[in-house]
Amino acid sequence: MMPAHQVALGELRRNEPMNQHVTWRAGGRARQFYRPRHREDFLEFLHARPAQETLFLLGLGSNLLVREGGIDATVVQMHGALKEVTWEEKGCLRIEAGVPAPKVARLAARAGCAGAEFLAGIPGTMGGVLAMNAGCYGAEIWNFVHQVETVDRQGELRWRTPADYDIGYRSVCLREECRKGVEEWFLSALLRFPAGDAETAKTRIRSLLAQRVADQPLEFPNAGSVFRNPVGDYAARLIECCGLKGKRIGGAEVSWKHANFIVNQGQATATDIEALIAEMQSRILAEKGVRLHPEVRIVGERS
Ligand SMILES: Cc1cc2nc3c(=O)[nH]c(=O)nc-3n(C[C@H](O)[C@H](O)[C@H](O)COP(=O)(O)OP(=O)(O)OC[C@H]3O[C@@H](n4cnc5c(N)ncnc54)[C@H](O)[C@@H]3O)c2cc1C
């Protein structure tokens, strides 16, 4: 057992294996790991920790590769901690950062809202979805954001609107004039969805999920699409054209089912996965002249 220390209400652990917290089921350890009990506990934790301590916010780890050398920071897990959902008014949901995206899809559908169905198959938290501008099937989360609530390392809270951010394909960046050198994290979001029909939305969720089961290798640990699609093309098409499906390094394999997925065949290390990413990039650059950029975030130290 790792030594555990009580801080505020949650549990602060040392040397936490991050492979238990990322969907690739691979990778190194976090120097410290904290899962708050709830929002107030998280804010208290921010105040209590030394100002120089680096924090890294984690959702469900569904877009993360943690290198084998681990994360030299305190990882704070929002999933299971900031989990409140409230209706502010009809069509407007306030969602805390740790709420899983599929839950938002189901709640919105049940309430007769339209447009949230795409969230059903994204296995991340609202915080991760906001940070990535996650989306699929023609929709992305920031299309529906009315406001977001943020907090910085000093614990200062702010409400922001989409106009404060540069928002693009799988990217969201606080504008420099708003940021002033300070990092902010998402605490909650106010989302607005147009009125729709509950049965239509539920049917669409079922059909989108069935499509994912048919197209994606969900039977193996993975992190969704590894690369962003280049302008006017698809990363999966380029990878398949280069004959890379089934290409393997250690326990990491380019999926036979979806070429833009790398699956963990059981014993993959983060080093295997990163080496496979680099191999795919260099083959596609050499053979197609296209530089692919990872959509997954690669963090931590090399071993
Ligand atoms: C099977 C599968 C299918 C997927 N399909 C899609 C898809 O269709 N479309 C799509 O866009 N993505 C998809 N993904 C990728 C992933 O689910 C999304 O990127 C998701 O938004 C990540 O959320 P997370 O909570 O897991 O974030 P994490 O992986 O935990 O973190 C991702 C980044 O967000 C940051 N972050 C997390 N929480 C916060 C916060 N509260 N405030 C600020 N930053 C934060 C982290 O620091 C990190 O940099 C898929 C992944 C899998 C495994």
Side-chain angles (χ1 to χ4, degrees):
M1 283 290 285
M2 297 298 147
H5 304 266
Q6 289 299 318
V7 169
L9 294 168
E11 185 188 339
L12 182 67
R13 301 189 208 171
R14 298 200 199 290
N15 212 18
E16 177 76 358
M18 287 300 292
N19 59 6
Q20 295 178 6
H21 301 290
V22 300
T23 56
W24 249 324
R25 298 285 174 257
R29 292 173 180 261
R31 186 161 53 77
Q32 298 195 112
F33 185 92
Y34 188 69
R35 186 164 93 179
R37 286 275 175 84
H38 43 60
R39 175 196 158 96
E40 293 316 314
D41 182 26
F42 172 53
L43 296 177
E44 196 177 309
F45 181 78
L46 277 182
H47 285 295
R49 302 307 296 171
Q52 69 277 13
E53 183 174 318
T54 308
L55 302 187
F56 178 87
L57 259 65
L58 173 75
L60 273 159
S62 62
N63 204 50
L64 268 193
L65 181 64
V66 178
R67 291 187 174 118
E68 293 299 328
I71 303 182
D72 185 23
T74 300
V75 171
V76 183
Q77 187 182 43
M78 305 303 263
H79 176 238
L82 277 77
K83 54 190 174 198
E84 298 280 307
V85 179
T86 42
W87 285 99
E88 298 286 303
E89 58 191 77
K90 192 150 177 52
C92 193
L93 264 172
R94 179 175 171 159
I95 301 150
E96 284 193 338
V99 176
K103 181 172 179 178
V104 178
R106 287 194 301 273
L107 285 173
R110 232 179 277 148
C113 294
E117 302 88 288
F118 75 101
L119 291 168
I122 300 182
T125 58
M126 188 45 54
V129 166
L130 289 166
M132 296 303 306
N133 191 17
C136 51
Y137 310 119
E140 50 192 27
I141 191 64
W142 281 83
N143 299 153
F144 302 97
V145 172
H146 179 53
Q147 282 182 298
V148 286
E149 184 191 25
T150 69
V151 65
D152 65 22
R153 183 65 185 81
Q154 279 64 50
E156 192 167 327
L157 301 171
R158 294 179 186 85
W159 278 99
R160 294 200 174 277
T161 68
D164 292 335
Y165 296 88
D166 289 318
I167 300 166
Y169 165 57
R170 302 294 169 269
S171 99
V172 181
C173 191
L174 189 57
R175 287 178 193 272
E176 196 46 54
E177 63 268 26
C178 301
R179 185 181 351 184
K180 300 191 174 82
V182 177
E183 185 180 10
E184 292 181 18
W185 299 295
F186 299 109
L187 274 183
S188 67
L190 268 180
L191 304 182
R192 273 192 203 284
F193 296 105
D197 170 67
E199 283 318 308
T200 309
K202 287 185 204 167
T203 305
R204 184 160 151 76
I205 286 177
R206 279 194 293 275
S207 119
L208 293 181
L209 289 178
Q211 199 172 324
R212 280 182 182 260
V213 171
D215 296 343
Q216 300 181 354
L218 303 181
E219 60 279 29
F220 298 109
N222 70 78
S225 292
V226 173
F227 297 106
R228 293 152 198 264
N229 288 320
V231 177
D233 208 339
Y234 291 97
R237 190 194 75 78
L238 294 164
I239 297 163
E240 187 164 357
C241 278
C242 290
L244 285 165
K245 274 187 164 183
K247 167 82 190 162
R248 202 162 168 162
I249 295 184
E253 185 181 272
V254 179
S255 166
W256 285 102
K257 202 168 178 184
H258 191 310
N260 199 15
F261 278 51
I262 291 178
V263 295
N264 179 350
Q265 285 289 4
Q267 302 299 322
T269 63
T271 310
D272 295 338
I273 295 170
E274 197 172 4
L276 190 51
I277 290 173
E279 168 75 13
M280 292 161 84
Q281 282 174 310
S282 74
R283 284 278 299 274
I284 281 142
L285 185 60
E287 293 181 30
K288 301 286 174 193
V290 178
R291 186 175 296 280
L292 287 183
H293 298 284
E295 178 175 324
V296 292
R297 293 202 176 168
I298 302 174
V299 298
E301 315 293 321
R302 291 178 199 278
S303 53

